Amino acid sequence: MALIVQKYGGTSVGSPERIAAVADRVIRWRQKGNDVVVVVSAMSGETNKLVALINAVNPTGSEREKDAILATGEQVTIGLLALALEKKGQPARSYTGGQVRILTDDAHTKARIMDIDGSPIRKDLSEGKVVVVAGFQGVTADGSITTLGRGGSDTTGVALAVALKADECQIYTDVDGVYTTDPRIEPKAKHIPVLSLEEMLEMASQGSKVLQIRSVEFAYKYDMPIRVLSSFDENDEGKSTLVTREDEVMEEVSVRGIAFNRDEAQLTVKGVPDRPGVAYQILGPISEANIEVDMIVQNVGVGGAGGTTDFTFTVHKNDYTKATQILARTCEALGATGWEGDENIAKVAIVGAGMRSHAGVASKMFKVLADEGINIHMISTSEIKVAVVIDEKYLELAVRVLHKAFGLSA
């Protein structure tokens, strides 16, 4: 008997009819002899409604109280799915994140999972029940409700699979797997049947929306296979993508896919004194404000020892205003000449484990973009990734020409 953890997103449970369809699928997996734990998101659109209510009452209020509100969406879904399973003759029990004791830190609205108590779930499974758990949420040591950030239900699903030592974590969504890029931008994008965890981690970090990055980090750290499937495949006979260990991925093409992100903003601190510790003085306050920094570039100092330099980094657009307020204070304390920001940028990345053994991939990428007159603002690389920041207006063109240049439509 296998233990399967399944996660269903908001569109998958967006109506009573969709919830009934999820119940049917869960029962089919039970009838195959599997134990099943189900993690669900709030019904489609519910979290946005809760955010709107918060903004109407007090948008700058306590993050703790916001989490208490935001976590209610999933609580509705777990109850409805448990009732749907009971109606079809399948015993079920629902749990909030606090009831399962998904222990998190106290970084409200962006909490990180510290520990999970799987014993209540194991007891229910041994009694033949399907366990339904609220995604996106947890609880601090003092009992305060926390949420894990947008897409946090993926993280809940993978973390539960790891804690329970499941055989596989299945992520059901509105797409049937991972593609070489977003088919809405490049209609010739191809489905990828098997992808390495490392490649998926890079694609998620560079903007691919199929899986939330923290869920892939969990899977990568603990070697948990993830399968991405469509919840609209009524007979479970369609395509899927298995994200697994690299040694199980046979084909080693130089570039596996193209990821992109429109949700970043660029900030530059100008005329920074070129001395040790300046990077920390700039980014330390940013980090303390719980703002994540992505790409960083520090220019070569001008004027020799004691001269100045420019320091550029990117943050999520949602954090842009807060970051600029911090920079205004930091610049004055540093004696920098000023700062400037740009919200009209985008990040494009090529990803592939085969890049380790294929020379010239980065230079080919740069030439393809140059031939289209697309200027590169920043560059970031790893063994299996090359990412660039460009003007947002060129994003779709960049994705299409790179997709063609690296033969991903073949």
Side-chain angles (χ1 to χ4, degrees), residues 1-4 27-36:
M1 179 178 289
L3 171 57
I4 305 296
I27 291 170
R28 288 198 297 271
W29 278 95
R30 279 284 301 152
Q31 290 171 343
K32 295 175 184 177
N34 301 295
D35 284 332
V36 183

Side-chain angles (χ1 to χ4, degrees), residues 113-397:
I113 296 173
M114 312 295 287
D115 191 29
I116 294 177
D117 179 7
S119 53
I121 293 177
R122 293 188 185 94
K123 180 178 182 298
D124 287 331
L125 293 174
S126 70
E127 296 172 356
K129 296 175 183 174
V130 168
V131 176
V132 186
V133 180
F136 177 63
Q137 62 184 253
V139 65
T140 63
D142 68 1
S144 296
I145 296 170
T146 56
T147 63
L148 309 181
R150 284 287 188 171
S153 293
D154 283 4
T155 304
T156 303
V158 176
L160 270 174
V162 169
L164 296 169
K165 296 181 170 57
D167 295 275
E168 187 174 278
C169 181
Q170 299 176 345
I171 305 292
Y172 282 90
T173 181
D174 53 0
V175 296
D176 56 4
V178 182
Y179 281 71
T180 49
T181 195
D182 189 335
R184 291 171 296 185
I185 288 190
E186 176 47 82
K188 296 180 181 178
K190 297 297 182 182
H191 180 266
I192 305 174
V194 185
L195 193 65
S196 76
L197 281 163
E198 188 176 12
E199 288 171 324
M200 190 68 247
L201 182 60
E202 288 285 15
M203 290 183 72
S205 69
Q206 300 308 312
S208 173
K209 306 296 186 185
V210 178
L211 292 173
Q212 197 229 26
I213 182 171
R214 281 163 59 191
S215 69
V216 187
E217 287 173 347
F218 255 106
Y220 181 73
K221 182 177 181 180
Y222 295 102
D223 199 18
M224 172 57 61
I226 302 176
R227 190 178 297 276
V228 183
L229 311 97
S230 171
S231 60
F232 298 96
D233 174 19
E234 301 296 342
N235 299 313
D236 302 322
E237 296 176 351
K239 295 180 288 188
S240 67
T241 295
L242 176 64
V243 185
T244 185
R245 295 188 305 272
E246 187 171 331
D247 58 13
E248 294 183 14
V249 181
M250 301 297 292
E251 184 184 11
E252 199 172 89
V253 295
S254 61
V255 174
R256 179 77 61 179
I258 298 171
F260 59 88
N261 191 352
R262 303 177 191 267
D263 298 329
E264 296 204 9
Q266 178 178 302
L267 291 158
T268 300
V269 186
K270 304 181 75 64
V272 180
D274 190 11
R275 61 173 184 259
V278 164
Y280 171 73
Q281 288 178 275
I282 295 172
L283 296 182
I286 297 289
S287 175
E288 289 168 7
N290 204 23
I291 297 173
E292 295 180 2
V293 173
D294 184 13
M295 298 173 72
I296 303 170
V297 171
Q298 182 171 338
N299 295 336
V300 176
V302 177
T308 62
T309 184
D310 292 345
F311 190 92
T312 303
F313 60 97
T314 59
V315 299
H316 195 282
K317 281 184 179 177
N318 290 345
D319 294 319
Y320 178 74
T321 300
K322 187 191 295 186
T324 60
Q325 293 168 349
I326 294 170
L327 280 190
R329 298 191 296 269
T330 303
C331 286
E332 184 176 351
L334 277 175
T337 58
W339 64 270
E340 60 184 29
D342 187 355
E343 294 185 85
N344 299 311
I345 62 160
K347 182 173 64 173
V348 181
I350 56 174
V351 177
M355 289 169 62
R356 290 193 183 99
S357 55
H358 289 73
V361 175
S363 59
K364 181 176 180 178
M365 178 187 191
F366 303 153
K367 183 180 186 305
V368 169
L369 295 177
D371 288 345
E372 296 294 334
I374 300 174
N375 188 41
I376 296 172
H377 299 295
M378 302 174 72
I379 302 170
S380 173
T381 65
S382 73
E383 278 191 310
I384 67 166
K385 168 215 72 186
V386 181
V388 298
V389 170
I390 61 175
D391 290 334
E392 185 177 10
K393 63 184 179 181
Y394 294 122
L395 172 62
E396 295 191 9
L397 172 62

